[in-house]
Amino acid sequence: QGSSVGCYKVDNKADIANILKEAFGYSPYVVVEQTIVARELEVAVYEYQGEIVATKPGEIVCDTNNFYTFDEKYATDSKAKTYIEAINVADDISNQIRAYAIKAFKGLKLRHLSRIDFFLTADNQILLNEINTFPGLTPISMFPKMLEHHGHDFSTYLTQIIESQLS
């Protein structure tokens, strides 16, 4: 559904049936995944003047390391914190995540922009979480912030995309 709508974290086996019933209320298909305890890192990947760029990873930190629900993403009283550049990620790990992000972007033949999200476990295992082919552009959205933190002007970037499609 996007933005964690219809996604639930189950901490107690006794709750599985009720949570599945809620999930099936959104779709006739449900994915059940094992919980992964990891940091949530995301990379803005975009085409800029003919080059594919991947920013340094940003990070989402949920209050009490809880599941990043729709409310945690968008509620005004959200306690989740976002960092335009993840704190304490070794350069080699950051570079590997960026390389994976570019590989995913190219491999899926994406165009223009995407936000590619990863999990980073305590033992530095990098797991692809999801690819957002049209990431949010709200005032709290990370994509434009990471692009600007990387040194590119977001308005210029958007103008460049629009103009390239008109020719």
Side-chain angles (χ1 to χ4, degrees):
Q1 298 296 317
S3 292
S4 300
V5 173
C7 295
Y8 304 93
K9 182 179 179 202
V10 180
D11 293 317
N12 184 342
K13 278 187 178 182
D15 296 334
I16 292 174
N18 287 333
I19 296 294
L20 281 173
K21 185 177 178 182
E22 277 190 59
F24 277 112
Y26 288 94
S27 172
Y29 305 99
V30 171
V31 175
V32 177
E33 300 175 314
Q34 175 182 338
T35 298
I36 296 170
V37 178
R39 297 170 67 180
E40 186 167 338
L41 306 179
E42 46 189 53
V43 177
V45 182
Y46 54 97
E47 295 176 85
Y48 196 86
Q49 298 177 348
E51 180 185 346
I52 297 174
V53 175
T55 66
K56 290 183 178 181
E59 184 168 12
I60 307 295
V61 179
C62 294
D63 185 45
T64 66
N65 203 21
N66 208 350
F67 183 69
Y68 198 35
T69 64
F70 179 87
D71 288 337
E72 278 298 303
K73 289 179 183 181
Y74 299 108
T76 54
D77 63 345
S78 171
K79 293 178 178 57
K81 292 181 174 70
T82 57
Y83 298 95
I84 297 168
E85 188 172 331
I87 300 169
N88 296 324
V89 174
D91 286 344
D92 62 325
I93 298 295
S94 176
N95 291 336
Q96 190 170 15
I97 289 170
R98 293 169 75 190
Y100 288 158
I102 289 173
K103 189 172 187 176
F105 189 92
K106 288 179 178 179
L108 292 171
K109 298 181 181 6
L110 301 179
R111 295 180 58 221
H112 304 302
L113 71 156
S114 66
R115 196 193 70 239
I116 303 181
D117 302 348
F118 295 88
F119 291 130
L120 179 63
T121 65
D123 62 350
N124 288 328
Q125 184 179 16
I126 301 166
L127 304 167
L128 177 64
N129 175 21
E130 66 176 326
I131 297 172
N132 295 277
T133 56
F134 200 84
L137 299 175
T138 68
I140 64 167
S141 296
M142 293 284 281
F143 180 89
K145 292 177 182 179
M146 290 189 293
L147 181 144
E148 292 200 339
H149 183 70
H150 192 76
H152 294 135
D153 179 75
F154 191 59
S155 295
T156 302
Y157 170 72
L158 291 177
T159 301
Q160 177 186 315
I161 288 176
I162 294 167
E163 288 175 350
S164 75
Q165 296 307 298
L166 295 175
S167 38

